[in-house]
Structures are given as C-alpha cells and as structure tokens.
C-alpha cells in the first residue's frame, strides 16, 4: 500500500476541486429554504460513491431528508466496515462575519494551516471529512487494496438531530450489519499531535416559554405590579448554576461517572496550553465548574448553556413595554450514563417548580441523545492507532470530546457495534462559526490514513 502517497500526489488537485464542488451546494438542513439544495447534495454524494467504486448506491427515502447508502462487498467472510457521515451543514449565519461567502469556497493560508485551508460552510463539518472516505475508497478500489467489505451511510439531518436516521436504522439492521463503524466528524489535538476521539457527550435540548400578562403592556402604567417574563426568565436561568458553577437541578448529577484520580491524571497528560487557549478566544480567563480543569470541563463533565434568548422589543430605538412572553433555548451536554430524556424531565420539573405564580412556564424538549465511550483495548481502536502511527509517525492520544454525535449511541444499541472516531479537524477550524475551514494537509492526511485503518482492522480481526 506504499503507493498511496503517490496516488494522492498525482490526484490532490482533483481531490480538492471535487470537494470544492460539493461545498458549493448550500445543504442547510435547518432551513427549509434550502431543501432543494439538500436533496441535490444527496445526489452529488450518490454519484461520487458510484465513481469511487461502490457496487450499489441508493438514495433511501425517509420521512425527512434521504440517506445515501452505498456498498462494496468483496467477500461475505471478510469484516465489514460501515462509514457514517453527514452531507448537511449548519446555517451560515451571521453571514456578514465571513471573510468570503460561505458557499463560494476559497483556499487561504493560515498560521495553523500554512499549506492552505478550504474556507466554506461544511468544509470540516462534515463534507470535507466525509469526502476523505469517498476518496480513500477510490484509492483502495482502483489499486486493488480494499481488504474487506465497505458500506457507506451518509445522512442529511445530523445538524438537526438525526431524526430520520433514528427511524431508518432499526428498520434496516440487516442492510447495515457491520463489524465496526468508522466516522470522521470530530477533531484531533494538532497536526503534529494526532488523537483519536474515545468519547462524545450526550445532549438534551429544551426550549422554554415564560408567559406573563395576556398582552404586551405599557411599562409605566403596569410596571412594578405585573411580572415581567424576561426579568423572571433571566432570574430562573441564573439560578440554574450555584456559586461554584455546579448545576442546581436536583438529580442532575446522579448518574455522572466520577473518574478516578488515576484516570484524570492520565487525561491531564494530553498537551494543552491554557495561555494559548485564552489567547485564541480573546478571553482574560476561563470559566466553569469548580474543581475541574478546562479539559475536564469540556469532556467528562456535564454542562447547561443558554443558546439563545429572546422576547420583548429588540428593534431600533426604545419602546417602553412589559412583554407578554419570553423564550430561551437551553442545551445540556451530558456524559455517558446520563439519560437525555430523563435529564429533560428533571429539567422540566425543576424549571416549572421554581417559577413564581405570576407567570406560566412551558418546557418543550427538543432532540437529544446519549453520550458515548470507546475502550482503547478494542480491536477497532488498535487498528486506528496503528494507522496513525504509520502515517503520522507517532502514536495518537486517546481523547474524549465535548461535542455530540447522538446517533452513535443508537448505532451501538441497534446494530451492536462500536464506533471509531477518526477526526482530522482542529478546534480552530471554526465549525458552526463564520469562516469555517479545513486544512488541505488534514484532508489529504485523512485520505492517506483511512486505508490503513481497513488494512489493520482486517488483519487484527483475523487474529482475534
Ligand atoms: N461534528 C459535530 C460534532 C463534533 C464536532 C463532535 C467536533 C466532536 C468534535 C456534529 O456535526 C455536531 O455539530 N453535533 C451537534 C449535535 C447535533 C445534535 C446538532 C453538537 O455537538 O452540537
Ligand atoms: Mn458533524
Ligand atoms: Mn456540526
């Protein structure tokens, strides 16, 4: 397989250009104005899989956006790897903060990406990382280096909660049967410090509505005598953390696994500079739960954050009004063992219980999902580790991530297989933010590393 480097060298311009074409389609799943573009992206992914060497590719209809499924089965006795990724992207807003239009990809050099990075919404999350797998298949299939069976399942609703995929998976267990699931939709520490994501946080997302009087009121005539829903809502939200930044919802921490001192010491060995972290975010200090480090706060600890809050008058000038309603969207990041539905229920009960009689509160649970962990002694992890050793020349560090891919826990439950998260993005790639980008080096390194995963996974599976 030593020709992989040459293959990439000879084809890198085309690899980059193909990704750029895919990035031009604005597949924003959250906004129905883009629905045709989302569908067009599914078609483009289908064509790319056909070209890369899949024997069959289908567009599988669901109640929502379709799932692109493709496979190349070379021998039913060999292991099967199922690749998952998503072709939808986050909304580009606020678009005025982008240095170049989000769906007109450009390549620019940056400090962290001296060889250039592709700037576009979805470049890293997840079109770029998903497409590495398509190109890795192309190489393996053209060069006769595919050592096992491969299946692809690329969805179009990851950024809005994967509802259709949760519908699809239990209905297609046989089709999706596999020995391991492989995903590139996370990150690594740095280009010279590869890491493998061994954990994801769960998520419980709720929306709250606080209603006061039956209409907006003159704040002079009524102010002081009637509850202002925004005042009340902000006070209630503020009470959800105590002075140590612990979450105050009763029962919230009941199922949280406390890591041993040894495990925490092990985690603390991962390279991290607090100074660089603060500098990159232009903050004077970090902020979080007492008793935990920054890395622990974003991986092994659960959180509660307001994602948006609105109500009353926010237009130009001033309007003196007591609003009738106030709203907030709140997300809780969870750790393995915390159940997202149970947490949503605990939140609802608590939030309703702390509301004064002068308002009514409704809590609407949105989507969610369970957290996930992979043990590092698992064959799949070992195969991934060897693959990075081969192409990076150094052993990757296992690291739990703060982000969520809720469907991963569902894969384990329904398909009984473990997931390996080989992410090649960097935290500084600005996913979900303006100026999202993906390093060209990272993209090509991913394409180079992935085929080795197949090789070592097949070899190690034969031995065990
Ligand atoms: N790819 C991300 C998740 C991610 C990014 C995990 C980096 C680890 C490192 C995914 O597309 C995402 O954004 N997930 C959402 C959850 C989803 C239900 C909207 C998230 O984490 O907010
Ligand atoms: Mn993603
Ligand atoms: Mn995302």
């Amino acid at each position: 397989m030593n020709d992989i480097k040459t293959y990439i060298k000879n084809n890198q311009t085309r690899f980059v250009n193909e990704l750029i074409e895919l990035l031009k389609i604005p597949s924003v799943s959250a906004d129905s104005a883009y629905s045709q573009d989302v569908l067009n992206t599914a078609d483009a992914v289908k064509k790319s899989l056909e070209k890369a060497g899949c024997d069959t590719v289908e567009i599988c209809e669901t109640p929502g956006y379709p799932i692109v499924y493709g496979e190349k089965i070379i021998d039913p006795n060999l292991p099967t790897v199922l690749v998952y990724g998503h072709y939808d992207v986050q909304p580009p807003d606020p678009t005025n903060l982008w240095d170049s239009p989000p769906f007109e990809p450009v390549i620019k050099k940056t400090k962290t990406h001296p060889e250039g990075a592709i700037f576009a919404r979805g470049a890293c999350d997840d079109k770029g990382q998903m497409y590495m797998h398509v190109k890795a298949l192309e190489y393996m299939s053209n060069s006769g280096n595919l050592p096992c069976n491969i299946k692809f399942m690329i969805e179009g609703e990851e950024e809005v909660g994967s509802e259709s995929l949760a519908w699809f998976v239990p209905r297609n267990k046989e089709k999706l049967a596999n020995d391991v699931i492989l995903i590139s939709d996370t990150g690594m520490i740095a280009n010279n410090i590869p890491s493998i994501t061994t954990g994801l946080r769960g998520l419980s997302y709720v929306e709250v509505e606080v209603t006061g009087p039956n209409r907006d009121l003159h704040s002079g005539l009524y102010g002081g005598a009637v509850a202002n829903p925004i005042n009340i809502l902000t006070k209630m939200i503020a009470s959800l953390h105590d002075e140590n930044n612990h979450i105050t919802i009763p029962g919230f921490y009941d199922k949280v696994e406390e890591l041993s001192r040894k495990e925490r010491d092990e985690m603390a060995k991962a390279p991290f500079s607090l100074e660089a972290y603060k500098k990159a975010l232009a903050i004077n200090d970090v902020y979080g739960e007492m008793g935990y480090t920054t890395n622990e706060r974003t991986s092994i600890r659960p959180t509660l954050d307001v994602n948006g809050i609105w109500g009353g008058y926010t237009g130009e000038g001033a309007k003196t009004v007591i609003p009738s309603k106030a709203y907030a969207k709140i997300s809780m990041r969870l750790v393995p063992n915390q159940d997202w539905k149970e947490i949503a229920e605990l939140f609802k009960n608590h939030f309703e219980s702390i509301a004064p009689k002068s308002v009514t509160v409704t809590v609407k649970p949105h989507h969610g999902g369970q957290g996930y962990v992979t043990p590092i002694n698992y064959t799949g992890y070992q195969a991934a580790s060897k693959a990075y050793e081969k192409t990076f020349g150094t052993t990757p560090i296992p690291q739990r991530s703060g982000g969520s891919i809720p469907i991963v826990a569902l894969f384990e439950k329904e398909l009984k297989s473990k997931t390996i998260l080989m992410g090649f993005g960097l935290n500084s790639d600005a996913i979900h933010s303006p100026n999202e980008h993906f390093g060209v080096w990272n993209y090509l390194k991913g394409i180079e590393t992935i085929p080795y995963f197949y090789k070592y996974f097949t070899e190690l599976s034969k031995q065990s």
Side-chain angles (χ1 to χ4, degrees):
M1 221 159 65
N2 287 326
D3 59 331
I4 174 95
K5 273 192 160 57
T6 321
Y7 190 86
I8 292 174
K9 218 185 186 145
N10 293 340
N11 293 283
Q12 56 184 8
T13 314
R14 176 173 60 84
F15 287 177
V16 169
N17 288 338
E18 285 178 13
L19 175 56
I20 284 177
E21 287 310 306
L22 196 62
L23 290 167
K24 285 183 187 168
I25 321 176
S27 51
V28 180
S29 52
D31 185 345
S32 58
Y34 294 96
S35 61
Q36 191 54 48
D37 297 298
V38 181
L39 297 172
N40 292 346
T41 310
D43 284 331
V45 172
K46 175 174 186 268
K47 288 201 185 90
S48 72
L49 283 170
E50 282 163 350
K51 266 204 195 145
C54 278
D55 300 326
T56 54
V57 189
E58 333 159 37
I59 297 273
C60 304
E61 296 302 333
T62 72
Y65 286 123
I67 289 155
V68 186
Y69 176 83
E71 62 178 34
K72 188 174 178 73
I73 307 295
I74 55 169
D75 177 353
N77 295 316
L78 286 168
T80 300
V81 177
L82 173 67
V83 174
Y84 161 83
H86 61 96
Y87 64 81
D88 65 322
V89 302
Q90 284 276 322
D93 317 77
T95 33
N96 60 318
L97 295 182
W98 284 73
D99 296 329
S100 55
F103 298 108
E104 294 171 28
V106 290
I107 299 179
K108 278 187 297 189
K109 292 189 165 120
T110 72
K111 255 207 196 117
T112 26
H113 295 296
E115 302 183 27
I118 307 169
F119 282 76
R121 173 57 87 230
C124 179
D125 184 10
D126 178 44
K127 283 175 176 164
Q129 297 213 71
M130 176 271 289
Y131 207 69
M132 297 181 315
H133 288 270
V134 180
K135 293 300 99 178
L137 168 67
E138 177 195 304
Y139 159 74
M140 291 187 290
S141 144
N142 283 352
S143 63
N145 271 308
L146 181 63
C148 60
N149 304 310
I150 180 166
K151 296 177 175 177
F152 276 81
M153 175 169 66
I154 313 297
E155 71 150 317
E157 291 178 16
E158 197 279 340
E159 299 292 7
V160 290
S162 301
E163 242 178 79
S164 297
L165 190 62
W167 173 92
F168 182 79
V169 171
R171 285 170 178 75
N172 290 278
K173 285 191 194 181
E174 211 152 297
K175 183 189 207 116
L176 302 174
N178 65 81
D179 296 283
V180 67
I181 296 169
L182 182 60
I183 304 181
S184 295
D185 193 21
T186 55
M188 58 180 187
I189 296 174
N191 284 1
N192 57 349
I193 314 169
S195 58
I196 298 177
T197 306
T198 51
L200 293 164
R201 285 197 285 193
L203 181 70
S204 194
Y205 203 109
V206 299
E207 186 166 326
V208 302
E209 180 186 299
V210 176
T211 307
N214 58 2
R215 59 191 161 90
D216 288 7
L217 302 174
H218 189 289
S219 66
L221 295 181
Y222 291 94
V226 175
N228 177 327
I230 299 181
N231 294 14
I232 303 280
L233 174 61
T234 50
K235 198 167 161 181
M236 288 167 70
I237 287 171
S239 79
L240 297 175
H241 291 92
D242 69 12
E243 65 284 5
N244 294 323
N245 271 315
H246 289 300
I247 293 156
T248 56
I249 300 168
F252 186 85
Y253 291 101
D254 282 2
K255 296 195 174 160
V256 172
E257 172 197 23
E258 291 290 339
L259 268 67
S260 68
R261 189 65 258 170
K262 200 171 146 242
E263 286 171 297
R264 292 174 68 185
D265 289 345
E266 201 51 46
M267 272 185 71
K269 285 186 193 153
F272 177 74
S273 158
L274 192 58
E275 280 320 304
Y277 187 84
K278 290 195 279 193
K279 199 168 161 223
L281 301 177
I283 50 174
N284 294 324
D285 204 358
V286 290
Y287 186 86
E289 189 182 5
M290 174 116 112
Y292 295 92
T293 65
T294 294
N295 269 335
E296 290 171 340
R297 287 169 179 170
T298 58
S299 62
I300 59 163
R301 298 301 294 169
T303 60
L304 182 152
D305 277 293
V306 180
N307 298 263
I309 183 162
W310 69 103
Y313 184 71
T314 55
E316 200 183 325
K319 180 185 179 195
T320 48
V321 68
I322 295 178
S324 166
K325 285 176 184 291
Y327 307 83
K329 289 182 193 279
I330 297 174
S331 66
M332 290 161 280
R333 294 282 168 174
L334 311 175
V335 296
N337 295 339
Q338 281 184 298
D339 180 80
W340 75 272
K341 287 187 176 149
E342 203 174 300
I343 291 291
E345 195 60 29
L346 288 177
F347 177 93
K348 182 175 158 67
N349 291 340
H350 177 66
F351 211 66
E352 285 170 357
S353 80
I354 60 173
K357 258 200 348 234
S358 39
V359 296
T360 48
V361 168
T362 55
V363 176
K364 195 174 86 192
H366 269 268
H367 54 77
Q370 307 299 105
Y372 181 75
V373 276
T374 319
I376 61 170
N377 58 10
Y378 168 57
T379 313
Y381 184 91
Q382 293 301 324
S385 184
K386 281 182 74 169
Y388 284 85
E389 270 167 36
K390 179 82 188 169
T391 59
F392 285 77
T394 163
T395 307
I397 297 169
Q399 202 184 42
R400 287 219 224 168
S401 170
S404 308
I405 311 177
I407 207 71
V408 171
L410 187 107
F411 290 157
E412 181 163 39
K413 181 168 160 252
E414 297 290 343
L415 305 174
K416 309 279 178 260
S417 34
K418 282 287 188 193
T419 290
I420 297 302
L421 298 154
M422 292 174 71
F424 294 90
L426 302 180
N427 275 355
S428 53
D429 287 346
I431 63 171
H432 294 208
S433 303
N435 302 315
E436 174 178 353
H437 54 279
F438 188 36
V440 173
W441 184 89
N442 300 65
Y443 176 56
L444 299 174
K445 205 65 181 172
I447 300 171
E448 183 188 342
T449 309
I450 290 163
Y452 286 104
F453 172 82
Y454 288 86
K455 174 176 151 63
Y456 296 133
F457 184 75
T458 307
E459 286 172 12
L460 291 174
S461 299
K462 278 180 191 154
Q463 287 165 20
S464 61

